[in-house]
């Protein structure tokens, strides 16, 4: 049993539905076997547990671990390819690099870089676009299992429109996906995610094979891209003949409560209604949308249509692994639209934590720091003299402190990260 003492800030209640930020200044949480078993003011927790060891986190803030619902494993090294729209960026930067992961040795190096990037940014759970090569996904899963992070991932499949070495067939995609799921789904904190790259690169037969994997692997997730860029949307309409981009997945039975679709910058009202009816989640990736010029995310329309939203960093089109940065960019994106939502710090924290936990079906385990949840947590402790340290020391209340975190925070401010109560990263824990 360990007692963590500090200022805890989380969002157990959805701010989009009226929930408020919860905070506990000089509070304590008690963790046994990775589970939070008690929480309250320091004095009362200490008097109930006078003998237990204490980890002093009073400088800075303790937040729930971040949950990234859209990020690409093979794209670590192409972050920063600025200046192109989606389809050109894929051809110029992303797909040539993805092809290089045919080399399993390189895939192993990239997997380590990738997982380091996640944990260094305070991300404890992630839905990860794998690679087009089964051996590369296998290597990622092995490294992910070692890392302790909660990773859901799978083989990315495509059978048209990409460079030939990235293509598969419905039969091979099914066989390799089932083999990977058999090896890794449910092992430690890993889960399988069925992952056609996007409707543009997947025939109906491949979509059907994806649906078969989804049916045959209980608890698997489904993830892909939707409505990111107008040129892409136009090509999907032409190639699939579906009623909409969303329908290109939905008509194969791929959209449901375990589905996470990235972007949705340009949805129709009919698509939003389908996503809401299916209980699917949209991963909003604001730095990627800005970097590729994809557009501003219509968050108000999603919220008014009752479509669930979470955050993704979308590395490598996104500009880094930090969900703090994504939160700030989400805020900017709404400020820049006449009908944008005014996002509070509570909204930003919710999107970066609890909303992602819901998206990945992990809400009973993680997303906030309530009693009964697993202790997945981030200790944000900027160095003395850093503008964030100055800001935190002068914040009037936890909401203001959190606003400063989202405005000024970087991975350099993350001093420690726990998953299930296990320390997975620490710079200098007291
Ligand atoms: Zn993506």
């Amino acid at each position: 049993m360990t007692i963590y003492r500090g200022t805890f800030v989380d969002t157990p209640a959805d701010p989009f539905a009226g929930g408020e930020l919860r905070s506990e200044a000089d509070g304590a949480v008690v963790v046994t076997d990775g589970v939070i078993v008690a929480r309250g003011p320091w004095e009362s927790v200490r008097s109930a547990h006078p003998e237990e060891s204490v980890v002093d986190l009073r400088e800075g803030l303790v937040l729930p671990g971040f949950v990234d619902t859209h990020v690409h494993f093979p794209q670590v090294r192409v972050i920063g390819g600025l200046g192109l729209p989606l389809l050109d960026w894929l051809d110029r930067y992303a797909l040539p690099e993805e092809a290089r992961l045919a080399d399993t040795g390189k895939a192993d190096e990239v997997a380590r870089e990738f997982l380091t990037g996640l944990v260094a940014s305070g991300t404890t759970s992630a839905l990860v676009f794998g690679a087009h090569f089964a051996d590369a996904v296998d290597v990622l899963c092995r490294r992910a299992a070692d890392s302790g992070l909660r990773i859901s991932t799978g083989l990315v499949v495509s059978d048209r429109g990409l460079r030939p070495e990235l293509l598969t067939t419905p039969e091979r995609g099914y066989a390799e996906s089932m083999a990977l799921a058999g090896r890794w789904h449910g092992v430690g904190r890993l889960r399988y995610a069925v992952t056609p790259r996007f409707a543009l690169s997947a025939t109906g037969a491949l979509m059907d094979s994806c649906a078969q994997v989804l049916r045959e692997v209980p608890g698997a997730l489904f993830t892909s891209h939707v409505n990111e860029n107008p040129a892409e949307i136009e090509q999907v309409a032409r190639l699939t003949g579906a009623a909409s981009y969303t329908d290109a997945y939905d008509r194969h039975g791929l959209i449901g409560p375990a589905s996470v679709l990235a972007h949705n910058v340009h949805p129709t009202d009919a698509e939003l209604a389908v996503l809401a009816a299916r209980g699917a989640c949209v991963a909003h990736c604001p730095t990627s949308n800005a970097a590729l010029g994809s557009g501003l995310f219509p968050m108000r329309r999603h919220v008014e249509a009752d479509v669930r939203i979470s955050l993704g960093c979308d590395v490598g089109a996104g500009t880094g692994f930090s969900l703090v940065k994504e939160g700030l960019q989400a805020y900017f994106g709404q400020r820049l639209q006449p009908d944008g939502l005014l996002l509070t710090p509570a909204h930003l924290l919710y999107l970066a934590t609890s909303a992602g936990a819901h998206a990945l079906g992990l809400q009973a385990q993680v997303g906030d720091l309530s009693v009964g949840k697993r202790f997945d947590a981030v200790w944000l402790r900027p160095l003395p003299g850093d503008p964030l340290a100055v800001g935190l020391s002068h914040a009037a209340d936890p909401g203001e402190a959190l606003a400063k975190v989202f405005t000024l925070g970087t991975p350099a401010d993350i001093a420690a990260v726990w998953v299930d109560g296990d320390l997975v990263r620490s710079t200098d824990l007291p």
Side-chain angles (χ1 to χ4, degrees):
M1 183 179 282
T2 304
I3 302 176
Y4 297 88
R5 179 182 188 182
T7 298
F8 299 86
V9 183
D10 61 358
T11 51
D14 179 359
F16 291 97
E20 293 185 354
L21 197 65
R22 176 172 68 172
S23 70
E24 191 117 22
D26 201 13
V29 303
V30 183
V31 176
T32 301
D33 296 332
V35 178
I36 299 171
V37 296
R39 173 183 168 135
W42 160 251
E43 293 297 343
S44 63
V45 168
R46 188 48 163 166
S47 59
H49 304 278
E51 305 295 330
E52 306 301 337
S53 65
V54 176
V55 179
D56 187 343
L57 308 173
R58 278 179 291 172
E59 273 185 77
L61 299 176
V62 183
L63 306 177
F66 298 128
V67 182
D68 190 331
T69 59
H70 186 70
V71 54
H72 294 254
F73 145 56
Q75 296 180 7
V76 185
R77 299 182 186 184
V78 299
I79 295 171
L82 302 180
L84 297 174
L86 172 67
L87 298 176
D88 298 319
W89 177 83
L90 283 169
D91 285 341
R92 168 84 175 275
Y93 293 110
L95 298 180
E97 176 69 0
E98 299 230 2
R100 288 178 206 117
L101 266 69
D103 175 344
T104 308
K106 167 162 175 155
D108 190 41
E109 284 174 24
V110 172
R112 280 180 286 162
E113 294 164 356
F114 174 78
L115 294 162
T116 299
L118 287 180
V119 72
S121 298
T123 294
T124 50
S125 300
L127 175 55
V128 177
F129 246 71
H132 287 269
F133 305 100
D135 286 348
V137 177
D138 197 54
V139 157
L140 171 66
C141 288
R142 189 172 312 126
R143 291 287 177 188
D146 290 346
S147 76
L149 300 180
R150 290 180 208 281
I151 300 293
S152 299
T153 191
L155 181 69
V156 179
V157 291
S158 292
D159 65 346
R160 70 174 170 209
L162 306 182
R163 351 164 26 108
E165 62 269 44
L166 297 180
L167 299 181
T168 187
T169 63
E171 296 74 25
R172 191 177 120 211
Y174 169 81
E176 290 180 349
S177 298
M178 291 302 292
L180 283 164
R183 207 170 311 139
W184 295 109
H185 184 59
V187 172
R189 299 170 190 132
L190 302 188
R191 286 187 302 161
Y192 197 76
V194 176
T195 315
R197 181 164 204 107
F198 54 170
L200 193 57
S201 68
T203 63
L206 188 70
M207 293 286 202
D208 284 337
S209 76
C210 288
Q212 193 179 348
V213 177
L214 198 55
R215 281 194 303 273
E216 293 179 8
V217 182
L221 299 166
F222 172 78
T223 191
S224 196
H225 297 94
V226 73
N227 290 321
E228 182 172 1
N229 166 291
E232 170 213 24
I233 295 166
E234 186 275 321
Q235 287 195 38
V236 167
R238 189 162 44 77
L239 281 170
T240 66
S244 67
Y245 203 147
T246 300
D247 186 53
Y249 303 112
D250 189 50
R251 65 182 178 166
H252 296 280
L254 292 166
I255 309 289
S259 304
V260 179
L261 292 167
H263 304 305
N264 213 27
V265 179
H266 308 284
T268 64
D269 288 344
E271 288 179 282
L272 290 172
V274 168
L275 293 169
R278 301 283 183 270
C281 183
V282 167
H284 173 34
C285 306
T287 71
S288 167
N289 295 161
L292 297 177
S294 301
L296 291 165
F297 181 65
M299 189 179 287
R300 181 181 294 281
R301 289 177 57 215
H302 282 73
V303 170
E304 289 180 351
D306 276 332
V307 178
R308 295 153 59 211
I309 311 165
S310 56
L311 273 186
C313 75
D314 197 23
V315 155
T319 62
F321 288 95
S322 171
L323 286 193
V324 169
K325 187 202 269 188
E326 296 300 328
L328 181 64
Q329 196 71 25
Y331 168 85
F332 287 159
Q334 295 307 303
R335 291 297 272 164
L336 290 168
Q337 299 177 69
D339 62 346
L341 292 175
L342 183 58
L343 297 176
T344 64
H347 287 111
L348 303 185
L349 183 63
Y350 178 79
L351 286 170
T353 57
S354 307
H358 277 270
L360 304 191
L362 295 172
Q363 67 272 22
Q365 298 166 56
V366 298
D368 63 65
L369 299 171
S370 297
V371 170
K373 295 275 170 89
R374 318 293 307 187
F375 189 65
D376 283 19
V378 170
W379 182 34
L380 265 155
R381 196 279 319 269
L383 294 174
D386 181 279
L388 178 55
V390 174
L392 291 179
S393 67
H394 291 91
D397 56 51
E400 213 175 284
L402 197 57
K404 291 174 189 299
V405 166
F406 277 101
T407 307
L408 291 162
T410 74
D413 302 310
I414 292 178
V417 181
W418 296 263
V419 177
D420 265 352
D422 294 334
L423 194 61
V424 294
R425 179 184 171 84
S426 161
T427 47
D428 58 340
L429 199 63

